[in-house]
C-alpha cells in the first residue's frame, strides 16, 4: 500500500489530525497519513478481509446481548466495504457510516448504490470525539480499526455508551496479530525481516498516537475501559484472514502495496540491510521479489471486543 504523507498541517480538525494508518492498513501502526487518498487501498484491504469480517459480524449478531438491531453506526467506516457488509448481515437495520473524511464517505455512497443497499446505508461526516453530539442513538456501534486513530479513546467510548439504546452493544475491532506475509527465512538478507518491521511499526505507532489531537495514553485493556465508561463486556473473539500461497493477483498486489508502504513509512527506522532486502522484494524483475515468489501468503488475526449497556 502506498503511503501518502500530509505535510504542513497543524492544529485540530480533519486536516490537522495526524492521519495514522500504517504500514499495513489495519495493523497497529500509525503515521502522518492522508486519508483523502487512501480510499482505493483501504477498499482493497477490506475486500480481501471480507470473509473474516463477515464471520465477525455473524458472531456479534448471535451474541445474547445483541438483540433487535434497527440502527448500526459504523464509526470510522472508511470507504464502506464493511458498512455494506453490515447492511447485508443486519437486513432489518439502517446503517450509518460515520467518518471524518468526506471523500471516503462518497465512496461509501457509491458502493452502497452499486450493491443496491442505498436505501439503508447513510453517511455522516463527523470528527470524533468533537462531533459525538452529531451521532444518533443506535443498537450496534461498530468501530473497526478506527478508535486507535482518535486521541481520546476513552472519551469516544464514553460517548458510544451514551448513544446505545437499551439492549445495544459496541463492537470494537482493535488488536489481534500483525500480518505475516513471508516465511521467517526468505533466502535473502537476515531471517526475521517481518518481525523487525513489526518492531519498527510498533515504535512508529506510539509516535503517531502521541501526536494525535488531545492524545491520551490508555492501557489497551479494552474490557477494563468498557467497564470504566459504564459498559459490560460481552465477549472477545479473534478472526483469521488466511490466504495461503501461491497468492492470486489481487492478494499478491496487496502484499506488494503493504511492503511498499512499509518501505516508505519506516525508512528511518529500519537498517540499510533490511531496506535493501525490501527493495529487492519490490522489484518486479527480481526472481526473489514478491511479484514472482510462490511463498508469499497473507495470515492475520483481528480481535473483536463486544460490550453492552450495564
Ligand atoms: C483504518 S481506516 C478503517 C476503515 C474501516 N473501518 C475498515 O476497517 O476497513 C480508519 C478510518 O477512520 C477514520 N478516522 C480516523 N480518525 C477519525 C476521527 N477522529 N473521527 C472520525 N473518523 C476518523 C479515517 O478517516 C478512516 O476512514
Amino acid at each position: 500500500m502506498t503511503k501518502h504523507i500530509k505535510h504542513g498541517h497543524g492544529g485540530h480538525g480533519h486536516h490537522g489530525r495526524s492521519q495514522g494508518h500504517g504500514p499495513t492498513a489495519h495493523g497497529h501502526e500509525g503515521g502522518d497519513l492522508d486519508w483523502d487518498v487512501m480510499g482505493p487501498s483501504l477498499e482493497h484491504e477490506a475486500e480481501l478481509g471480507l470473509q473474516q469480517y463477515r464471520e465477525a459480524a455473524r458472531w456479534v449478531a448471535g451474541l445474547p446481548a445483541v438483540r433487535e438491531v434497527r440502527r448500526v453506526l459504523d464509526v470510522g467506516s472508511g470507504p464502506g466495504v464493511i458498512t455494506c457488509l453490515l447492511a447485508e448481515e443486519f437486513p432489518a437495520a439502517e446503517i450509518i457510516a460515520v467518518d471524518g473524511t468526506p471523500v471516503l464517505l462518497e465512496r461509501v455512497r457509491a458502493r452502497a448504490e452499486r450493491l443496491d443497499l442505498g436505501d439503508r446505508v447513510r453517511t455522516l461526516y463527523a470528527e470524533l470525539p468533537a462531533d459525538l453530539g452529531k451521532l444518533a442513538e443506535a443498537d450496534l456501534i461498530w468501530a473497526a480499526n478506527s478508535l486507535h486513530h482518535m486521541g481520546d479513546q476513552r472519551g469516544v467510548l464514553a460517548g458510544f455508551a451514551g448513544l446505545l439504546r437499551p439492549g445495544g452493544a459496541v463492537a470494537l475491532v482493535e488488536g489481534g496479530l500483525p500480518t505475516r506475509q513471508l516465511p521467517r527465512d526468505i533466502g535473502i538478507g537476515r531471517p526475521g525481516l517481518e518481525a523487525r518491521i513489526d518492531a519498527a511499526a510498533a515504535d512508529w505507532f506510539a509516535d503517531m498516537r502521541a501526536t494525535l489531537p488531545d492524545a491520551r495514553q490508555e492501557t489497551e485493556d479494552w474490557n477494563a475501559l468498557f467497564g470504566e465508561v459504564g459498559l459490560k463486556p460481552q465477549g472477545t473473539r479473534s478472526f483469521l484472514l488466511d490466504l495461503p500461497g501461491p497468492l492470486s493477483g489481487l492478494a499478491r498486489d496487496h502484499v506488494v502495496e503493504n511492503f511498499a508502504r512499509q518501505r516508505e513509512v519506516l525508512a528511518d527506522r529500519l537498517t540499510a540491510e533490511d531496506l535493501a532486502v525490501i527493495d529487492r522484494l519490490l522489484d518486479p524483475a527480481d526472481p526473489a521479489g514478491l511479484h514472482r515468489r510462490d511463498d508469499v501468503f497473507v495470515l492475520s488475526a483481528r480481535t473483536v471486543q463486544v460490550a453492552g449497556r450495564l
Side-chain angles (χ1 to χ4, degrees), residues 65-291:
V66 178
R67 310 222 187 103
E68 208 185 357
V69 177
R70 293 273 173 200
R71 185 183 289 139
V72 180
L73 303 184
D74 179 13
V75 175
S77 63
V81 177
I82 304 177
T83 313
C84 290
L85 179 145
L86 292 170
E88 288 164 4
E89 295 300 321
F90 295 94
E94 70 164 330
I95 320 289
I96 306 178
V98 179
D99 205 283
T101 307
V103 293
L104 294 179
L105 292 175
E106 280 166 30
R107 281 186 171 264
V108 179
R109 282 190 289 275
R111 187 178 186 89
E113 290 301 331
R114 253 191 340 267
L115 298 179
D116 220 11
L117 295 166
D119 56 334
R120 283 195 298 116
V121 171
R122 293 202 285 127
T123 58
L124 177 73
Y125 168 76
E127 182 77 37
L128 299 181
D131 291 335
L132 271 168
K134 287 165 79 174
L135 272 54
E137 57 172 24
D139 304 296
L140 175 64
I141 301 180
W142 173 282
N145 312 302
S146 56
L147 189 71
H148 62 258
H149 296 297
M150 301 172 193
D152 184 1
Q153 301 177 103
R154 178 186 297 260
V156 174
L157 282 183
F160 289 172
L163 290 165
L164 284 186
R165 290 170 170 161
V170 172
L172 191 62
V173 183
E174 283 292 339
L177 295 172
T179 306
R180 279 284 172 273
Q181 302 161 114
L182 284 169
R184 186 190 66 90
D185 189 339
I186 57 172
I188 50 173
R190 197 156 68 88
L193 174 67
E194 283 192 293
R196 292 191 295 283
I197 290 175
D198 288 345
D203 220 43
W204 190 63
F205 183 81
D207 287 353
M208 178 281 289
R209 278 219 46 83
T211 56
L212 289 171
D214 304 316
R216 179 169 172 165
Q217 197 278 329
E218 216 57 87
T219 301
E220 290 162 1
D221 178 347
W222 303 113
N223 282 337
L225 213 47
F226 281 148
E228 286 162 31
V229 300
L231 293 169
K232 186 164 180 240
Q234 303 289 342
T236 299
R237 225 184 109 179
S238 296
F239 296 85
L240 272 192
L241 171 62
D242 182 8
L243 308 175
L247 289 182
S248 70
L250 205 74
R252 191 182 290 269
D253 290 350
H254 166 72
V255 173
V256 173
E257 270 185 320
N258 276 345
F259 272 95
R261 202 154 54 116
Q262 284 163 335
R263 169 74 175 85
E264 197 179 343
V265 173
L266 303 174
D268 297 342
R269 299 176 197 253
L270 293 169
T271 62
E273 186 195 351
D274 282 342
L275 291 172
V277 170
I278 297 174
D279 286 340
R280 283 197 64 187
L281 287 171
L282 291 171
D283 179 355
D286 194 322
L290 295 168
H291 296 81

